[in-house]
Amino acid sequence: MTQSLMVDEATNGLCANDRQRLFAHGEELLSLSSRSGLADCLDSLREWLDLSEIVVATGTIGTLPDARVIGSGYDPEWMELYLREQFVLVDPIVQAIVNGQRFLSRSGTIAENNAMVRTGPRKPTLERFLEAARDHGRLGYGFASGVVFNGRIALCSVITSPGRGDQRGPLVLRALRPMLYQALTRVLLPEPVFPDLSQREVAILECLASGHNDIQIADAMSISASTVRVHRANGFQELGARNRCHAVAIGFQSGLLQR
Protein backbone atom coordinates (compact mmCIF):
# COMPACT_ATOMS: atom_id res chain seq x y z
CA MET A 1 0.00 0.00 0.00
CA THR A 2 1.63 3.25 -1.08
CA GLN A 3 0.86 6.46 0.77
CA SER A 4 -0.13 8.06 -2.53
CA LEU A 5 -3.19 5.81 -2.64
CA MET A 6 -4.57 7.63 0.38
CA VAL A 7 -3.42 11.18 -0.41
CA ASP A 8 -6.37 12.56 -2.30
CA GLU A 9 -8.97 15.27 -1.95
CA ALA A 10 -10.46 13.51 1.09
CA THR A 11 -7.29 14.11 3.12
CA ASN A 12 -6.45 17.68 2.10
CA GLY A 13 -8.08 19.01 5.26
CA LEU A 14 -5.92 16.95 7.62
CA CYS A 15 -2.77 18.15 9.38
CA ALA A 16 0.52 16.34 8.83
CA ASN A 17 0.24 14.36 12.07
CA ASP A 18 -3.28 13.20 11.25
CA ARG A 19 -2.18 12.19 7.76
CA GLN A 20 0.58 10.04 9.20
CA ARG A 21 -1.88 8.39 11.56
CA LEU A 22 -4.21 7.86 8.64
CA PHE A 23 -1.47 6.07 6.71
CA ALA A 24 -0.65 3.91 9.73
CA HIS A 25 -4.28 2.85 10.14
CA GLY A 26 -4.51 2.10 6.44
CA GLU A 27 -1.49 -0.18 6.62
CA GLU A 28 -2.94 -1.86 9.70
CA LEU A 29 -6.26 -2.51 8.00
CA LEU A 30 -4.50 -4.09 5.03
CA SER A 31 -2.83 -6.65 7.28
CA LEU A 32 -5.74 -7.49 9.61
CA SER A 33 -6.78 -11.14 9.66
CA SER A 34 -8.86 -11.51 12.82
CA ARG A 35 -12.05 -10.18 14.35
CA SER A 36 -10.20 -9.07 17.50
CA GLY A 37 -7.66 -7.20 15.38
CA LEU A 38 -10.41 -5.31 13.57
CA ALA A 39 -12.14 -4.52 16.88
CA ASP A 40 -8.87 -3.13 18.27
CA CYS A 41 -8.44 -0.99 15.16
CA LEU A 42 -11.96 0.43 15.57
CA ASP A 43 -11.19 1.22 19.23
CA SER A 44 -8.08 3.09 18.12
CA LEU A 45 -9.96 5.04 15.46
CA ARG A 46 -12.75 5.96 17.88
CA GLU A 47 -10.27 7.25 20.46
CA TRP A 48 -8.18 9.17 17.93
CA LEU A 49 -11.15 10.83 16.21
CA ASP A 50 -13.12 11.35 19.44
CA LEU A 51 -16.15 9.45 18.14
CA SER A 52 -19.01 8.33 20.35
CA GLU A 53 -19.46 5.10 18.43
CA ILE A 54 -18.27 3.31 15.32
CA VAL A 55 -19.91 0.16 13.98
CA VAL A 56 -19.08 -1.83 10.85
CA ALA A 57 -21.14 -4.62 9.34
CA THR A 58 -21.20 -6.85 6.30
CA GLY A 59 -23.48 -9.47 4.82
CA THR A 60 -25.52 -10.36 1.76
CA ILE A 61 -28.42 -8.25 0.52
CA GLY A 62 -30.71 -11.28 0.49
CA THR A 63 -30.06 -12.12 4.15
CA LEU A 64 -29.53 -8.75 5.83
CA PRO A 65 -30.72 -9.93 9.28
CA ASP A 66 -27.76 -12.33 9.30
CA ALA A 67 -25.21 -9.56 8.74
CA ARG A 68 -22.06 -9.74 10.86
CA VAL A 69 -21.29 -6.75 13.08
CA ILE A 70 -18.24 -5.38 14.92
CA GLY A 71 -18.28 -2.14 16.85
CA SER A 72 -16.61 0.13 19.38
CA GLY A 73 -18.46 2.23 21.93
CA TYR A 74 -21.95 0.99 21.00
CA ASP A 75 -24.76 0.26 23.45
CA PRO A 76 -24.95 -3.56 23.86
CA GLU A 77 -28.62 -3.34 24.86
CA TRP A 78 -29.47 -1.45 21.67
CA MET A 79 -27.46 -3.83 19.51
CA GLU A 80 -29.23 -6.84 21.03
CA LEU A 81 -32.62 -5.21 20.36
CA TYR A 82 -31.59 -4.17 16.82
CA LEU A 83 -30.58 -7.71 15.91
CA ARG A 84 -33.53 -9.39 17.65
CA GLU A 85 -36.12 -7.11 16.03
CA GLN A 86 -34.37 -7.30 12.62
CA PHE A 87 -34.36 -3.50 12.40
CA VAL A 88 -31.80 -3.78 9.61
CA LEU A 89 -34.72 -4.39 7.24
CA VAL A 90 -36.14 -0.89 7.84
CA ASP A 91 -33.09 1.05 9.00
CA PRO A 92 -32.99 4.18 6.74
CA ILE A 93 -29.17 4.20 6.81
CA VAL A 94 -28.97 0.63 5.50
CA GLN A 95 -31.68 1.26 2.91
CA ALA A 96 -29.83 4.35 1.63
CA ILE A 97 -26.64 2.30 1.19
CA VAL A 98 -28.55 -0.48 -0.59
CA ASN A 99 -30.11 2.14 -2.89
CA GLY A 100 -26.73 3.45 -3.99
CA GLN A 101 -25.63 6.18 -1.57
CA ARG A 102 -21.99 5.89 -0.49
CA PHE A 103 -21.42 8.58 2.15
CA LEU A 104 -24.25 10.23 4.04
CA SER A 105 -25.40 12.10 7.12
CA ARG A 106 -27.12 9.90 9.71
CA SER A 107 -29.54 12.53 11.00
CA GLY A 108 -30.32 13.86 7.53
CA THR A 109 -31.00 10.44 6.08
CA ILE A 110 -33.30 9.45 8.93
CA ALA A 111 -35.17 12.78 8.82
CA GLU A 112 -35.69 12.63 5.06
CA ASN A 113 -36.46 8.93 4.88
CA ASN A 114 -39.62 8.00 3.02
CA ALA A 115 -39.13 4.23 3.09
CA MET A 116 -42.15 1.97 2.82
CA VAL A 117 -43.22 0.58 6.19
CA ARG A 118 -43.11 -3.21 6.46
CA THR A 119 -46.03 -4.86 8.17
CA GLY A 120 -47.09 -8.37 9.07
CA PRO A 121 -46.31 -10.91 11.75
CA ARG A 122 -42.82 -10.64 13.17
CA LYS A 123 -41.88 -8.00 10.62
CA PRO A 124 -40.22 -4.80 11.88
CA THR A 125 -41.82 -1.47 11.08
CA LEU A 126 -40.20 1.88 10.48
CA GLU A 127 -42.30 3.42 13.26
CA ARG A 128 -41.14 0.78 15.73
CA PHE A 129 -37.52 1.29 14.69
CA LEU A 130 -37.69 5.09 15.07
CA GLU A 131 -39.45 4.80 18.43
CA ALA A 132 -36.84 2.38 19.75
CA ALA A 133 -34.02 4.48 18.30
CA ARG A 134 -35.32 7.58 20.09
CA ASP A 135 -35.59 5.67 23.37
CA HIS A 136 -31.95 4.62 23.06
CA GLY A 137 -30.68 8.01 21.86
CA ARG A 138 -29.85 6.68 18.41
CA LEU A 139 -31.11 9.56 16.26
CA GLY A 140 -28.17 11.84 16.93
CA TYR A 141 -25.41 13.24 14.81
CA GLY A 142 -22.93 11.33 12.73
CA PHE A 143 -22.33 9.87 9.32
CA ALA A 144 -22.31 6.55 7.52
CA SER A 145 -20.86 5.03 4.39
CA GLY A 146 -21.14 1.76 2.53
CA VAL A 147 -20.75 -0.19 -0.66
CA VAL A 148 -22.78 -2.89 -2.39
CA PHE A 149 -20.93 -5.33 -4.63
CA ASN A 150 -21.83 -8.75 -6.03
CA GLY A 151 -24.96 -8.94 -3.89
CA ARG A 152 -23.13 -8.14 -0.68
CA ILE A 153 -23.04 -5.05 1.49
CA ALA A 154 -20.35 -3.53 3.69
CA LEU A 155 -21.08 -0.44 5.75
CA CYS A 156 -19.73 1.78 8.51
CA SER A 157 -21.88 3.89 10.84
CA VAL A 158 -20.45 6.57 13.13
CA ILE A 159 -22.14 8.56 15.89
CA THR A 160 -20.60 11.83 17.06
CA SER A 161 -21.42 14.33 19.77
CA PRO A 162 -24.08 16.98 18.96
CA GLY A 163 -22.80 20.11 17.26
CA ARG A 164 -19.29 18.85 16.60
CA GLY A 165 -17.60 20.90 13.88
CA ASP A 166 -14.56 18.62 13.63
CA GLN A 167 -14.38 17.17 10.12
CA ARG A 168 -11.51 14.78 10.82
CA GLY A 169 -13.88 11.85 11.30
CA PRO A 170 -15.59 12.09 7.88
CA LEU A 171 -12.29 12.87 6.13
CA VAL A 172 -10.44 9.94 7.70
CA LEU A 173 -13.23 7.39 7.30
CA ARG A 174 -13.78 8.45 3.69
CA ALA A 175 -10.08 7.92 2.94
CA LEU A 176 -9.92 4.60 4.83
CA ARG A 177 -13.11 3.26 3.29
CA PRO A 178 -11.58 0.85 0.74
CA MET A 179 -9.13 -0.65 3.25
CA LEU A 180 -11.76 -0.83 5.98
CA TYR A 181 -14.26 -2.68 3.78
CA GLN A 182 -11.63 -5.07 2.49
CA ALA A 183 -10.59 -5.87 6.08
CA LEU A 184 -14.21 -6.21 7.14
CA THR A 185 -15.17 -8.64 4.43
CA ARG A 186 -11.87 -10.53 4.69
CA VAL A 187 -12.37 -11.09 8.42
CA LEU A 188 -16.11 -11.70 8.57
CA LEU A 189 -17.11 -13.31 5.27
CA PRO A 190 -15.89 -16.72 4.11
CA GLU A 191 -15.45 -15.56 0.51
CA PRO A 192 -13.91 -12.29 -0.68
CA VAL A 193 -16.25 -9.57 -1.91
CA PHE A 194 -13.54 -7.37 -3.39
CA PRO A 195 -11.34 -8.21 -6.37
CA ASP A 196 -8.01 -9.64 -5.22
CA LEU A 197 -5.67 -7.06 -6.73
CA SER A 198 -2.07 -6.49 -5.68
CA GLN A 199 -1.05 -3.16 -4.19
CA ARG A 200 0.60 -2.12 -7.45
CA GLU A 201 -2.44 -3.17 -9.50
CA VAL A 202 -4.67 -1.04 -7.26
CA ALA A 203 -2.24 1.89 -7.61
CA ILE A 204 -2.33 1.60 -11.40
CA LEU A 205 -6.13 1.38 -11.34
CA GLU A 206 -6.24 4.60 -9.32
CA CYS A 207 -3.97 6.28 -11.86
CA LEU A 208 -6.22 5.12 -14.70
CA ALA A 209 -9.21 6.58 -12.87
CA SER A 210 -7.37 9.92 -12.80
CA GLY A 211 -6.91 9.81 -16.59
CA HIS A 212 -3.20 8.96 -16.76
CA ASN A 213 -1.78 6.88 -19.60
CA ASP A 214 0.76 4.06 -19.36
CA ILE A 215 3.78 6.31 -19.90
CA GLN A 216 2.68 8.80 -17.24
CA ILE A 217 2.03 5.96 -14.79
CA ALA A 218 5.44 4.44 -15.55
CA ASP A 219 7.16 7.78 -14.89
CA ALA A 220 5.27 8.26 -11.60
CA MET A 221 6.11 4.76 -10.36
CA SER A 222 9.65 4.63 -11.76
CA ILE A 223 8.94 1.47 -13.73
CA SER A 224 8.79 0.73 -17.45
CA ALA A 225 5.67 1.20 -19.54
CA SER A 226 5.77 -2.51 -20.41
CA THR A 227 5.68 -3.37 -16.70
CA VAL A 228 2.69 -1.07 -16.30
CA ARG A 229 0.93 -2.90 -19.12
CA VAL A 230 1.61 -6.27 -17.49
CA HIS A 231 0.18 -5.14 -14.14
CA ARG A 232 -2.73 -3.47 -15.90
CA ALA A 233 -3.58 -6.63 -17.83
CA ASN A 234 -3.37 -8.74 -14.67
CA GLY A 235 -5.63 -6.29 -12.85
CA PHE A 236 -8.18 -6.32 -15.65
CA GLN A 237 -8.24 -10.11 -15.54
CA GLU A 238 -8.84 -10.15 -11.77
CA LEU A 239 -11.63 -7.58 -12.16
CA GLY A 240 -13.18 -9.29 -15.16
CA ALA A 241 -12.90 -5.94 -16.96
CA ARG A 242 -13.13 -5.54 -20.73
CA ASN A 243 -11.18 -2.28 -20.92
CA ARG A 244 -9.95 0.70 -18.91
CA CYS A 245 -13.35 2.32 -18.51
CA HIS A 246 -14.89 -0.95 -17.38
CA ALA A 247 -12.05 -1.53 -14.89
CA VAL A 248 -12.44 1.94 -13.38
CA ALA A 249 -16.22 1.48 -13.11
CA ILE A 250 -15.73 -1.81 -11.26
CA GLY A 251 -13.16 -0.12 -9.03
CA PHE A 252 -15.66 2.51 -7.91
CA GLN A 253 -18.49 0.00 -7.52
CA SER A 254 -16.38 -2.27 -5.34
CA GLY A 255 -15.03 0.51 -3.12
CA LEU A 256 -11.43 0.01 -4.26
CA LEU A 257 -11.58 3.53 -5.69
CA GLN A 258 -13.05 6.61 -4.05
CA ARG A 259 -15.13 9.30 -5.68
Side-chain angles (χ1 to χ4, degrees):
M1 177 62 161
T2 61
Q3 290 190 353
S4 63
L5 290 178
M6 299 167 63
V7 182
D8 56 17
E9 293 180 1
T11 65
N12 286 342
L14 298 177
C15 68
N17 182 59
D18 282 341
R19 288 165 72 90
Q20 289 300 318
R21 297 189 69 169
L22 168 65
F23 298 145
H25 277 89
E27 295 287 349
E28 180 182 3
L29 286 168
L30 282 174
S31 63
L32 285 178
S33 59
S34 69
R35 185 184 182 101
S36 62
L38 181 54
D40 289 343
C41 185
L42 294 179
D43 285 340
S44 178
L45 283 170
R46 184 170 70 91
E47 180 180 2
W48 167 34
L49 301 173
D50 193 22
L51 306 173
S52 300
E53 172 189 302
I54 178 171
V55 172
V56 295
T58 188
T60 62
I61 298 299
T63 58
L64 278 177
D66 296 326
R68 296 169 174 84
V69 180
I70 296 180
S72 175
Y74 65 83
D75 178 358
E77 181 180 343
W78 164 254
M79 185 60 67
E80 192 277 333
L81 176 65
Y82 187 95
L83 296 175
R84 186 180 69 245
E85 297 286 336
Q86 298 188 354
F87 283 148
V88 66
L89 295 174
V90 292
D91 186 337
I93 301 297
V94 177
Q95 296 305 311
I97 300 293
V98 171
N99 290 333
Q101 294 194 47
R102 292 293 173 261
F103 207 91
L104 48 97
S105 160
R106 281 180 51 86
S107 57
T109 300
I110 292 174
E112 297 171 4
N113 176 70
N114 292 314
M116 182 179 299
V117 175
R118 294 172 179 261
T119 59
R122 299 186 178 181
K123 291 289 186 180
T125 65
L126 179 59
E127 286 84 356
R128 168 61 180 147
F129 167 77
L130 293 175
E131 177 185 8
R134 291 190 196 95
D135 291 343
H136 286 79
R138 305 297 305 176
L139 301 183
Y141 298 89
F143 53 92
S145 67
V147 63
V148 176
F149 187 70
N150 283 353
R152 294 183 175 180
I153 182 172
L155 61 87
C156 173
S157 178
V158 171
I159 291 181
T160 60
S161 301
R164 284 188 59 85
D166 188 354
Q167 291 300 306
R168 288 189 310 159
L171 289 172
V172 167
L173 268 299
R174 188 186 294 269
L176 287 178
R177 183 171 50 185
M179 288 73 73
L180 176 61
Y181 293 158
Q182 290 182 62
L184 176 62
T185 54
R186 182 173 63 250
V187 169
L188 295 184
L189 291 181
E191 298 177 358
V193 172
F194 295 90
D196 188 19
L197 270 62
S198 69
Q199 296 175 14
R200 177 148 287 179
E201 288 165 356
V202 174
I204 289 174
L205 182 63
E206 185 181 65
C207 290
L208 292 176
S210 298
H212 300 304
N213 59 36
D214 291 348
I215 295 177
Q216 292 170 323
I217 296 172
D219 289 342
M221 294 186 172
S222 299
I223 57 179
S224 68
S226 61
T227 300
V228 170
R229 288 191 286 272
V230 169
H231 286 300
R232 174 165 55 79
N234 290 339
F236 286 9
Q237 183 175 1
E238 290 287 348
L239 292 169
R242 298 183 299 272
N243 50 44
R244 295 179 183 227
C245 291
H246 191 203
V248 169
I250 293 173
F252 283 121
Q253 290 168 2
S254 67
L256 287 171
L257 298 176
Q258 304 169 49
R259 296 188 185 279

